[in-house]
Amino acid sequence: MICVPLWLRRITFTAALICLGGAASAPAQVVDDEDQPLLPALIADYPVEMRSQYARQWRHDDGALVLVLTGDFEMRAGRRRMTSANGVVWIYPKSDEAGRRYSELAVYLSENAEVEEPGGTVTIDNVLLVSNLRTYGKLIKYHDAHADASAESGAFYQQALRDRALIEAGAPDETAGEGGVASPEAVKRPRQDRRPRSVWVSIENLESAQTTLGELVYVATGGVYLSQAGGANQPFMEIRADNAVIFPVAGGAADLVGREAGKGPATAPSRPEDDAPATQPSGTARGDERGGGLTRQVQQSVRAVYLEGDVVLSMGTQFVRASRLYYDFERQRAVMLDAVYRADVPERQIPLYVRADQIRQLSEREFAADHASVTTSEFYTPHYHIGAERVYIRDLTQRDAAGRSTSPVSGQYEIHNSTLNIGGAPLLWWPYSKGTLEQSETLLRRFSSGYSDTFGFTVETGWHLFNLLGIQAPPGYDATLRLDYYENRGPAGGINLDYQREDHYGLFRSYYVNDRGRDERLGPLRRNEWEPSDDNRGRVLWRHRHYLPEDWEATLELAYISDPNFLETYERQEFNAGKEQETVFFLKRARDTEAITLLANWRLLDFVTQTEHLPDIVYRRIGDTFGSPFALYHESRLGNVRYRPDDRRFFDEGYFDNTGQTGNTFRGDIREEVEAPLKSGIANIVPFATVRGSYWEHTPFGDGAEFRGYGGYGVRGSTVFSRVFHDAESALFDIHGIRHIIKPDFVIWHAASNMNAAEITPFDYGIETIEDFYGGSIGLRQTWQTKRGTGDKRRTVDLLTFDLEAGVFGDAKPGDVSNGYVTAFRPENSRARNYIAGDLIYRLSDTTNFLYEFNYDMNDRSLDRHNVSIAVERNPRLSYVFGSRYAGDIDMNLVGGGYNYKLNEKHITAFRMWYDIDGGDLGEFAVSYIRKLPRWYVGMTFEYSNIDDDFSVNFSVWPEGIPEWTLGSRRFVGLSNSTGIRP
């Protein structure tokens, strides 16, 4: 009924959003719009918003745009609000004396029609007509389904025309004027019953009284209980209070008491069982008499109720406590004074408290709060709260007939003068915000601060941009405004935008820093400081993919970065693992077994090595069958390419250097492969042969054009077999039966070519980089499975996985220093270093894993790579991981690990460390202590990084359940929810 929790649950953490709070001592104010007259005399400039479930529109012969809006129709014109089940809007385009265009509207409301004026006057009838609304503002329409088709012959529209004609013919002059509302007797059909569903009433003492207007009311004292079943727009509700004044509907007094006051209880009116409430109050029954008290299930007898004295309104685990409460059952409106609301937020595992001077229910799905505060603290004076002068919420949560929600909580909100308060002092303020609850809960998406040698004191924030601007986000769009400050660098900011619609999706990233500092120790190969040539540093990135008709799709990318070190300094994760920054147009069509692509890209960043395609067209066919058992694979490309090397010449290696042909080069390439899949017993054998021809207009070491021919042939195969050992049992190792699965595989090939890859500019990997070496590999993949768990949780798990592979090569060219590998389906893309490699994963239990991997290089007879680690999770208190990592080609030999340990519910510790054995350096060290306070977490972290030559001490504070509001380092914030292993 009073669905306060529906919106308060979602707007709980509006860090500048729901911010119900502000000056709690100020008197309650009536919502008004001082900039607009209550009844505009001429032509207003407010926007007009219309909402409905379904909409149809067409243009009438007289030029009017006609809208038929059915299903929960609502219109807002300035501060005037019109609602009905269905409506028709006629929009006439006109111009004033100065030639400025405006719209004149006539609005027909049908079924439960209601017009609320800005001054508070309400007109209610089954049919109403609002005429002569004039505005220069925008006309905005929201709907679930729409059709540009005429409904002129429909029964509803024809009835609207007849009613409008009757109203305009009989309306008095004073109602037919500017924005007039009319409903003459000629069209007053019976109104739909607006009275509420059944109400349970339990009363200790009851006596009748009269208001000053002579209205009969009943005064209940000594304890009052009311409940009402849920419905499509509201959940089940219970209200308790010390005293109440009950306002019966006309003729409902007999149903309410059934006798004169003070003469004993009456018998409850008979009711059909299917009209009974979904839930009856515990300890009560219809017609019970308890110490002179009354318990009733009353059918449509209570019009309204006023309660005071320890008023509690509850819905399950959610409740509102107020000093006074008035509820209008007919119009589904309520006012709660000095109210405190509490609810659990399951997704956050925290309670939510809202305190407000006044909470008003405007309709079944609309709410407003004045001078309210939101917090997760149960203290009367909380450590922090979010406040707002005024909040408006429209609940859009879907519900079944019993009032139970059938979808996540959703809705729309408007907030005025929101503040974030710490210890009663406001830290952040924003004048107005508007948005949807299902899209975002807060204005503030992220807040963190800290200190480091490189950046000094830092503050980083992220804000929901659409909410901040007070505009409705387009469906599928999400935007974040970043506002940051770095003491040693300067202010920074940018916008991140993500969007996804049915036929396209993409992202936009921008960031700007007024950088007054210098970059220091960017990785182990660049230990010296680097000072930017310009204080203005930043980046812009846009990536978009659009699905076109006939199976085509287009991809667009645009990337700009101010300098080589920007990403590494400010976007380290994207620099290490993100996609290459490039400007690209890519067109593709894939159908069945064929695909055609067009690639065009241009290098805008002169400090990266890239190949430009101006453009490059590729045609592919995969797995075409001809004859039996042959399958054909085709790939051909044609286009212009240009190699653009980084002039800094970083990481030159072999033929991947800057001495190649850098001018515009025409290139053609065709690759054909045929294979013959064969079945021999349990083995799959696939002989294959490949031919390839490539042409370049220019090459680095040739006088002109060059042609390369490449050919190869080979065979690959695999099989799988298994055996089950039912008798294998071990309570110690949690083994209950063993299934051993073995998957051997191999590939052998030989190739020949007339050119060395070092003679060709390395335009693209897999084309210019292939060599004519030959070789083969053999692998043995093994898995041991067992069953674990009991009852319904019994399942099959991989107990032990152990893979071994060996590869050997002949006629390999010198120069490769990294680990070797074999690509079975394109052997020419393999790395020609003889090797033996393996991976092992042993799951000792659901919480303990042992991992090991290695690569032995047979060319130099050394262990080039091996990693070993053990990871243990003893939930919910302890997790740890320790291990060693060695990589010979980059001289890395590290040992380290870390743990998370919850000493008790109030004290948590964490530790991270790795040590470079060969270099004798401590690479990284971090230790953190976290203390849980009432609804708060406080953490102290010491960190040192030898790579960045940076030492920092971070003090972190964050509210329980809201880690995005962390002040300080956020590295160990996740330990407030779980001690699971994290970086």
Side-chain angles (χ1 to χ4, degrees), residues 353-367:
Y353 294 89
V354 179
R355 294 175 172 87
D357 286 359
Q358 183 182 98
I359 297 177
R360 291 168 292 139
Q361 180 174 336
L362 307 177
S363 68
E364 290 177 327
R365 288 180 171 269
E366 292 180 286
F367 309 91

Side-chain angles (χ1 to χ4, degrees), residues 227-240:
S227 70
Q228 187 177 45
N233 291 322
Q234 53 194 357
F236 177 79
M237 179 196 68
E238 296 177 293
I239 307 178
R240 291 179 173 85

Side-chain angles (χ1 to χ4, degrees), residues 78 104 199 210 240 243 256 279 293 403 407 412 457 460 501 517-518 569 591 613 617 738 793 818 974:
E104 181 175 300
V199 177
Q210 282 190 339
R240 291 179 173 85
N243 308 301
L256 182 62
T279 304
S407 69
Q412 299 166 338
F457 175 73
E460 297 176 321
R501 301 298 298 272
R518 57 182 61 187
T569 303
R591 284 182 175 176
H613 302 80
I617 301 175
I738 291 288
K793 295 183 179 180
S818 297

Side-chain angles (χ1 to χ4, degrees), residues 943-962:
E943 294 184 82
Y944 169 75
S945 172
N946 183 49
I947 293 179
D948 299 327
D949 191 24
D950 190 30
F951 177 78
S952 63
V953 179
N954 291 302
F955 178 76
S956 304
V957 180
W958 67 96
E960 182 181 6
I962 319 178

Side-chain angles (χ1 to χ4, degrees), residues 398-673:
Q398 298 179 11
R399 298 185 173 278
D400 60 18
R404 295 180 293 266
S405 60
T406 59
S407 69
V409 175
S410 62
Q412 299 166 338
Y413 67 84
E414 296 180 23
I415 299 178
H416 300 261
N417 292 323
S418 57
T419 58
L420 172 63
N421 305 267
I422 304 295
L427 299 183
L428 299 172
W429 170 83
W430 193 255
Y432 175 75
S433 62
K434 179 180 180 180
T436 58
L437 302 183
E438 65 268 35
Q439 179 191 42
S440 60
E441 297 173 342
T442 63
L443 279 181
L444 185 62
R445 180 172 243 150
R446 176 179 54 86
F447 187 101
S448 64
S449 64
Y451 177 84
S452 68
D453 291 342
T454 302
F455 295 99
F457 175 73
T458 66
V459 175
E460 297 176 321
T461 66
W463 304 83
H464 285 284
L465 181 60
F466 291 116
N467 299 354
L468 198 68
L469 298 177
I471 60 177
Q472 190 74 28
Y477 280 69
D478 184 27
T480 300
L481 173 65
R482 299 175 59 185
L483 297 176
D484 305 331
Y485 178 77
Y486 305 99
E487 180 186 18
N488 295 345
R489 300 302 185 103
I495 294 176
N496 291 352
L497 173 68
D498 295 274
Y499 56 92
Q500 182 171 0
R501 301 298 298 272
E502 183 177 354
D503 60 352
H504 65 270
Y505 67 93
L507 60 83
F508 176 81
R509 301 287 185 266
S510 66
Y511 198 68
Y512 167 79
V513 182
N514 183 246
D515 198 332
R516 304 183 301 272
R518 57 182 61 187
D519 299 335
E520 303 177 5
R521 302 191 66 174
L522 296 172
L525 302 179
R526 291 163 289 162
R527 294 291 187 180
N528 297 326
E529 296 181 353
W530 181 83
E531 186 170 359
S533 59
D534 193 332
D535 289 350
N536 299 310
R537 305 178 70 186
R539 59 91 57 93
V540 174
L541 173 66
W542 177 51
R543 291 175 180 158
H544 176 87
R545 176 162 295 173
H546 211 107
Y547 298 104
L548 306 172
E550 301 297 327
D551 299 324
W552 286 96
E553 64 179 55
T555 301
L556 301 172
E557 294 191 31
L558 173 66
Y560 167 78
I561 308 173
S562 60
D563 57 78
N565 296 338
F566 178 83
L567 279 187
E568 192 172 2
T569 303
Y570 292 98
E571 303 288 351
R572 180 67 64 89
Q573 183 176 359
E574 184 178 354
F575 175 81
N576 292 331
K579 183 184 180 296
E580 182 181 19
Q581 306 288 309
E582 55 183 340
T583 299
V584 174
F585 172 74
F586 182 71
L587 192 63
K588 172 185 174 181
R589 188 188 72 177
R591 284 182 175 176
D592 300 326
T593 62
E594 71 168 4
I596 182 171
T597 63
L598 182 146
L599 172 64
N601 68 311
W602 302 266
R603 190 187 73 161
L604 298 184
L605 310 175
D606 57 7
F607 46 80
V608 298
T609 297
Q610 288 181 345
T611 294
E612 295 180 337
H613 302 80
L614 306 168
D616 193 39
I617 301 175
V618 181
Y619 179 74
R620 296 180 176 89
R621 296 193 66 90
I622 301 174
D624 286 331
T625 58
F626 65 99
S628 181
F630 298 101
L632 183 66
Y633 296 82
H634 168 85
E635 180 179 304
S636 58
R637 66 184 67 239
L638 198 68
N640 287 291
V641 290
R642 181 167 59 182
Y643 186 62
R644 305 295 301 277
D646 176 6
D647 291 338
R648 297 175 302 164
R649 303 178 63 87
F650 277 173
F651 311 117
D652 290 353
E653 177 187 333
Y655 53 77
F656 290 93
D657 58 21
N658 298 333
T659 63
Q661 173 65 38
T662 59
N664 190 14
T665 301
F666 176 78
R667 178 184 67 182
D669 178 65
I670 298 178
R671 183 183 187 274
E672 298 283 354
E673 179 177 331

Side-chain angles (χ1 to χ4, degrees), residues 956-974:
S956 304
V957 180
W958 67 96
E960 182 181 6
I962 319 178
E964 57 265 39
W965 287 10
T966 301
L967 296 174
S969 172
R970 303 178 66 186
R971 180 172 182 179
F972 295 102
V973 167

Side-chain angles (χ1 to χ4, degrees), residues 340-342 350-355 374-385 934-936 959-960 962:
V340 178
Y341 163 78
R342 184 195 187 279
I350 57 173
L352 170 69
Y353 294 89
V354 179
R355 294 175 172 87
V374 177
T375 181
T376 59
S377 173
E378 56 268 39
F379 297 121
Y380 181 80
T381 304
H383 299 103
Y384 80 96
H385 74 271
R935 304 302 176 197
W936 282 88
E960 182 181 6
I962 319 178

